[in-house]
Amino acid sequence: MGRLTGGDPSLLRRINSAVVLHSLRGTDSSTLTDLTRITGLSRPTVEGVVEGLIEAGLVVESVPEEGEARRQGRPARRFRFRAEAGHLLGVEIGAHRVAALLSGLDGRIIGAGSREVSQTAGADDRLERVRAVVADVLRRAGVARSSLRAVGVGSPGIVEADGTVRLSTALPGWTGLALGERLRRSFRCPVLVENDANAAAVAEHWKGAATDSDDIVFVLAGLSPGAGSLIGGRLHRGYGGAAGEIGALHLLGRDETPEKLLSTTGEPLHPLDEQAVADVFALAKSGDEGALAAVERFNKRLVHDVAALVLALDPELVVIGGWAAGLDGVLPPLRDELSRYCLRPPRVTLSLLGEAAVATGALRLALDHVEEQLFAVEGTATARR
């Protein structure tokens, strides 16, 4: 773009356009007088900006209601942001299911869908299931694929900036997969791939349990737990995208993996066998001594993993999601033990978004990308450095 100076007219026009567009998106419709008051810009400047946004297809003049026209004579021209000028997708790719959320440029969800997928499915089969879900969601919403402006994707594993999965133990054939590149061939628009726990953290901050907190840890609790963190309202990925991989803490001199801790037979559970895990928790709830001991071992390990992250980051809030969030007995010991181990215990709560958290966060990634183009004066919470 070249070097910009404080008096650069193109930069000034872009800032004015972003300010007006942002104001329009925050209301159902506004008059030129409204926009002049809200933005602090002169009326001629606002009028010129609005005409440019109309030409770009991002703003349209609202048609006054018939009754309003009769009461007031000729009403003032009103304008609205065209959320339908483009669409966004948020996609979750998990071990047992894939899901997609569709929205307009305002982030309001207008379509959703999901399909089950085998935990043993290879990369090609899993990606084909993603394409099928997306095609179904677009068809039912009556949205053309060509209108997609950006796609966000949440996936297990350590994800590099270009969307390559550097390491993933959860999905067969996922390590080394150029996931972003593969999906860009299908969508022909920007595709932003993020670790699933990171995406869920963004989602809880946007629409879930953490809307009032800027320093949070989201724990995707399971046999191999992961965590996403926001520091000062910005997603913290770490230098190589591996921040929050608390599922690897068992490697630090511990003899038993979480899969073995939760076993009642001595044989480790399969990390992706959610039904076997649910069975152990159900037995514990019924009073089975072996299962109770297994759940206690599992909870203690989870607490230690979360405490390590809490001690390092000092978050205001810890949000627990993932399959463990739907099982009894997770929160009370977590709260009690964090109060013992942590110098300043954080608040602890369950996810409000449940299984929709990852796809919702992925949708926010796509929305942030588009907002950087439309409103960019400063970076967003999920912008990569």
Side-chain angles (χ1 to χ4, degrees):
M1 188 166 67
R3 184 178 179 181
L4 294 173
T5 65
D8 192 305
S10 65
L11 176 59
L12 187 58
R13 284 194 300 270
R14 182 168 176 80
I15 292 173
N16 289 342
S17 179
V19 169
V20 171
L21 191 60
H22 194 274
S23 299
L24 279 169
R25 198 182 69 158
T27 62
D28 291 333
S29 66
S30 297
T31 64
L32 293 177
T33 301
D34 294 333
L35 293 171
T36 298
R37 175 178 50 81
I38 293 169
T39 64
L41 299 172
S42 69
R43 186 181 179 93
T45 297
V46 169
E47 192 166 9
V49 168
V50 169
E51 292 302 324
L53 292 172
I54 290 174
E55 291 178 10
L58 293 170
V59 170
V60 67
E61 186 171 352
S62 300
V63 178
E65 296 181 2
E66 185 177 342
E68 181 184 4
R70 282 201 302 266
R71 288 193 306 270
Q72 301 179 5
R74 183 179 179 183
R77 298 172 69 195
R78 303 189 71 88
F79 305 91
R80 69 170 179 85
F81 173 67
R82 291 189 68 236
E84 70 275 17
H87 294 88
L88 311 168
L89 270 176
V91 177
E92 175 194 3
I93 305 177
H96 298 278
R97 74 169 203 147
V98 297
L101 296 176
L102 176 70
S103 81
L105 294 181
D106 56 0
R108 296 180 184 178
I109 295 171
I110 60 173
S114 65
R115 291 193 183 187
E116 299 298 315
V117 61
S118 170
Q119 66 187 44
T120 62
D124 290 342
D125 290 341
R126 201 172 298 273
L127 289 175
E128 187 56 41
R129 189 59 58 96
V130 170
R131 295 185 188 98
V133 168
V134 169
D136 185 54
V137 169
L138 292 174
R139 178 185 57 78
R140 286 189 283 112
V143 170
R145 183 179 292 260
S146 59
S147 76
L148 292 176
R149 294 286 192 95
V151 176
V153 179
S155 168
I158 299 172
V159 180
E160 297 180 349
D162 65 354
T164 299
V165 182
R166 182 152 59 91
L167 176 66
S168 177
T169 58
L171 305 183
W174 223 242
T175 296
L177 180 68
L179 181 56
E181 181 182 332
R182 291 281 297 271
L183 291 175
R184 287 181 198 108
R185 298 174 196 167
S186 299
F187 294 111
R188 301 189 181 277
C189 69
V191 175
L192 304 102
V193 184
E194 188 57 79
N195 167 267
D196 53 358
N198 285 351
V202 169
E204 293 292 339
H205 186 249
W206 182 31
K207 290 188 174 184
T211 55
D212 296 327
S213 302
D214 283 341
D215 291 272
I216 72 168
V217 166
F218 177 91
V219 179
L220 200 59
L223 287 182
S224 182
S229 306
L230 268 68
I231 300 175
R234 293 184 64 84
L235 183 60
H236 178 68
R237 297 180 174 88
Y239 179 75
E245 292 293 334
I246 57 177
L249 286 175
H250 71 273
L251 300 174
L252 300 180
R254 296 176 177 178
D255 296 330
E256 293 184 309
T257 65
E259 299 94 279
K260 191 170 182 181
L261 289 173
L262 198 55
S263 172
T264 58
T265 65
E267 291 295 320
L269 301 178
H270 191 285
L272 300 180
D273 192 345
E274 295 181 5
Q275 185 56 53
V277 172
D279 290 344
V280 173
F281 274 80
L283 284 172
K285 190 174 182 179
S286 69
D288 182 270
E289 291 186 3
L292 284 168
V295 169
E296 184 177 355
R297 291 193 300 265
F298 171 78
N299 283 342
K300 186 175 182 180
R301 175 65 61 84
L302 179 63
V303 167
H304 287 175
D305 291 346
V306 175
L309 202 52
V310 168
L311 284 168
L313 298 180
D314 184 30
E316 177 188 0
L317 177 67
V318 173
V319 181
I320 305 297
W323 56 256
L327 302 173
D328 292 336
V330 174
L331 282 194
L334 186 56
R335 289 193 179 110
D336 291 344
E337 293 300 298
L338 287 180
S339 67
R340 289 179 53 200
Y341 290 115
C342 299
L343 302 177
R344 192 206 61 78
R347 292 189 293 117
V348 183
T349 189
L350 290 177
S351 164
L352 291 181
L353 298 174
E355 66 177 8
V358 175
T360 301
L363 181 66
R364 181 70 238 189
L365 293 175
L367 182 59
D368 275 352
H369 178 81
V370 170
E371 286 186 346
E372 283 204 342
Q373 297 175 324
L374 298 180
F375 312 125
V377 191
E378 59 184 43
T380 61
T382 58
R384 289 186 181 270
R385 55 189 180 129

